[in-house]
Amino acid sequence: MQEWLIHVSSNHEYTIYFLIIVLASIEGPVLSMIFGVLIKLGYFSFLPVYIALMLGDLFGDTFWYSIGKKFGYSFVGKFGKYINVDKYRIEKLDKVFHKYKHYILFISKISNGFGLSLVTLITAGMVRIPFWKYLSVNLAGQFIWSGMLIGVGYFFSNLYIQVDTWMSRAGVIILFLFVIYLFVQYGKYLKRRIV
């Protein structure tokens, strides 16, 4: 596995970064943590991975903004239940969006929206936040968010590398999964409070 990763990362560099951009547009946060581990192990360099992850995540965010702007309430009515977005949540967010749009977009980006990121991205398009304002605030948050997630992967990989026994490794994995579980539950709690 290690030889294959070294071979791919050194001989197919542009293809790898293109794939990172595509995959990050679908699931950037998890991919960022995985690449934090791979950077720690020496398979990739930080800066190109960081830029590719940010670009991919921004493409994904731009896609959801465009969906909100172009299709708005008709999209939410048809597909909202599949992505946890409904008209009630959007109407509630719309009331404060124009007044605090910069804060909402920035905090949503650096916190993954506390589980409401899709609602925020789609609503930004629906309420017609100017695209360049949307993109500039989102980009500022993306610098922090991608760097933080890569750092989490980098840091936790260090713990994983130093652990000697399989039981200890399992404990680190369980602890990591538990932290992710707590984060998800906190996001659900915040959603319930908003609704």
Side-chain angles (χ1 to χ4, degrees):
M1 179 69 170
Q2 289 179 344
E3 291 175 9
W4 180 81
L5 270 174
I6 291 168
H7 173 73
V8 169
S9 65
S10 60
N11 294 327
H12 304 285
E13 191 173 354
Y14 295 111
T15 304
I16 290 294
Y17 293 121
F18 175 75
L19 285 173
I20 291 171
I21 291 170
V22 170
L23 293 173
S25 68
I26 299 165
E27 185 49 63
V30 171
L31 197 63
S32 298
M33 289 188 280
I34 290 170
F35 272 95
V37 173
L38 294 174
I39 290 167
K40 176 67 175 182
L41 295 173
Y43 296 121
F44 293 94
S45 299
F46 169 75
L47 192 57
V49 168
Y50 180 56
I51 291 169
L53 288 166
M54 282 195 305
L55 284 174
D57 217 343
L58 286 171
F59 283 142
D61 292 352
T62 301
F63 170 78
W64 290 113
Y65 170 89
S66 301
I67 290 291
K69 188 170 186 178
K70 185 164 182 147
F71 301 108
Y73 283 102
S74 65
F75 174 82
V76 172
K78 290 179 185 175
F79 303 107
K81 62 184 174 186
Y82 301 112
I83 56 173
N84 204 23
V85 178
D86 59 35
K87 291 179 182 180
Y88 175 74
R89 287 183 179 164
I90 289 181
E91 287 169 0
K92 198 165 188 177
L93 194 55
D94 186 14
K95 293 175 185 175
V96 293
F97 215 100
H98 281 289
K99 187 173 182 182
Y100 301 107
K101 63 184 167 264
H102 296 103
Y103 299 112
I104 291 170
L105 289 171
F106 185 78
I107 290 170
S108 176
K109 177 50 63 183
I110 64 170
S111 66
N112 204 25
F114 294 111
L116 296 170
S117 58
L118 278 182
V119 175
T120 305
L121 299 171
I122 292 171
T123 303
M126 289 174 70
V127 299
R128 305 285 197 249
I129 300 297
F131 179 72
W132 293 110
K133 284 187 180 178
Y134 167 82
L135 191 62
S136 62
V137 173
N138 218 8
L139 181 61
Q142 192 66 55
F143 276 111
I144 296 168
W145 183 237
S146 290
M148 187 175 71
L149 291 173
I150 291 171
V152 167
Y154 191 90
F155 173 73
F156 276 109
S157 70
N158 189 35
L159 289 177
Y160 183 78
I161 291 167
Q162 292 176 0
V163 173
D164 292 325
T165 66
W166 283 103
M167 289 302 286
S168 296
R169 288 180 182 175
V172 169
I173 291 169
I174 290 168
L175 176 64
F176 185 71
L177 292 173
F178 182 69
V179 169
I180 291 173
Y181 171 77
L182 288 177
F183 186 78
V184 169
Q185 292 304 316
Y186 184 68
K188 288 180 181 177
Y189 166 75
L190 287 176
K191 272 197 254 184
R192 284 194 303 270
R193 289 198 61 188
I194 291 173
V195 176

